[in-house]
Amino acid sequence: IINIGNFIVSSSSFVKVASKLFLEGAYVVADGLMRDVLRANNKLPTAQPYGTLTFTNRNPVAYNGNEQVNASVFSVSGSDAIVDWVLLEVRNSSDPSIVVGRKAALIQRDGNIVDLDGISDVRIDEIPSGNYLFAVRHRVHLATRTSTPLSFSETLTPIDFTNNSNSVSNSQKILSGTSVYGLKAGDSNRDGRNSVLDINPIGSAWNTSLANF
């Protein structure tokens, strides 16, 4: 905040985004929603988990943000119940390896990604308006990002990954028995690929199987 004479001017900048996607490992075809068994079994941390979970194919490899939620956010049930934490990345429009900003957010059963109150669209601070690529990461799924830059500003930017219209080729898959897309399950060691090396981390991650995630 800058005080200029009789005026108070905010020097911070931010963008707002309303994104939606599905996680293959949590999706239930019959419901058209994702399971919230982590929430229901009190296995969701109130502090974002990506400070200790690294991504070996991305620099910086970990995210040390201080995002934290009130435990009451996890008391909501139904289609707006929280499934898990996701990590959002705003990236340079011409070089996707350059991460301009990051924020940990929450994903609901209906696929909407919301801010720390469990309701609002996500605000990412200290990013000026402009054109950016946008990526979403999850701790046991392969990531996706937009294939072309989008315009971001303080006015809401909608991004629907479930129709795959602006996702990097092959970064998602059609969910079995549906016509919608979701992140590919299985990358539990976060090395950017699905392999036998992912089996043990999946089994121990939350003392629950991927099929029940």
Side-chain angles (χ1 to χ4, degrees):
I1 304 296
I2 302 173
N3 190 341
I4 305 177
N6 294 323
F7 298 93
I8 302 295
V9 179
S10 174
S11 62
S12 64
S13 55
F14 66 89
V15 298
K16 293 186 70 176
V17 59
S19 51
K20 179 175 182 176
L21 62 75
F22 290 125
L23 305 172
E24 179 191 12
Y27 192 76
V28 180
V29 175
D31 299 334
L33 300 169
M34 292 180 285
R35 300 181 183 90
D36 60 338
V37 293
L38 298 182
R39 180 200 67 83
N41 287 280
N42 298 314
K43 290 184 177 291
L44 286 179
T46 55
Q48 69 88 8
Y50 293 100
T52 57
L53 300 176
T54 61
F55 297 95
T56 57
N57 67 331
R58 177 59 53 193
N59 184 30
V61 295
Y63 172 66
N64 294 313
N66 60 2
E67 289 91 336
Q68 189 162 352
V69 302
N70 189 298
S72 63
V73 171
F74 297 152
S75 67
V76 175
S77 58
S79 61
D80 288 338
I82 301 303
V83 174
D84 201 4
W85 290 87
V86 291
L87 182 60
L88 310 181
E89 294 181 342
V90 178
R91 301 185 186 175
N92 182 276
S93 60
S94 57
D95 185 351
S97 69
I98 299 175
V99 177
V100 179
R102 284 172 142 184
K103 183 168 184 175
L106 304 167
I107 185 167
Q108 299 176 333
R109 292 186 67 204
D110 59 7
N112 291 328
I113 296 176
V114 294
D115 220 323
L116 304 181
D117 61 359
I119 301 171
S120 303
D121 296 313
V122 179
R123 168 175 163 155
I124 307 176
D125 289 323
E126 300 183 9
I127 297 178
S129 298
N131 294 328
Y132 300 101
L133 297 166
F134 183 77
V136 183
R137 293 182 169 277
H138 181 258
R139 43 186 172 164
V140 293
H141 287 73
L142 294 172
T144 191
R145 70 165 172 84
T146 56
S147 59
T148 59
L150 298 175
S151 176
F152 286 80
S153 69
E154 296 180 9
T155 302
L156 199 64
T157 300
I159 305 173
D160 187 354
F161 286 105
T162 67
N163 60 25
N164 207 45
S165 61
N166 192 19
S167 297
V168 170
S169 178
N170 296 321
S171 66
Q172 295 198 104
K173 63 179 295 185
I174 295 179
L175 300 180
S176 179
T178 77
S179 60
V180 300
Y181 286 78
L183 297 191
K184 299 175 183 178
D187 186 25
S188 62
N189 67 356
R190 296 163 300 282
D191 65 354
R193 58 185 178 180
N194 285 340
S195 71
V196 68
L197 298 176
D198 295 304
I199 295 175
N200 289 337
I202 288 176
S204 61
W206 302 290
N207 191 27
T208 185
S209 70
L210 183 62
N212 291 324
F213 172 62

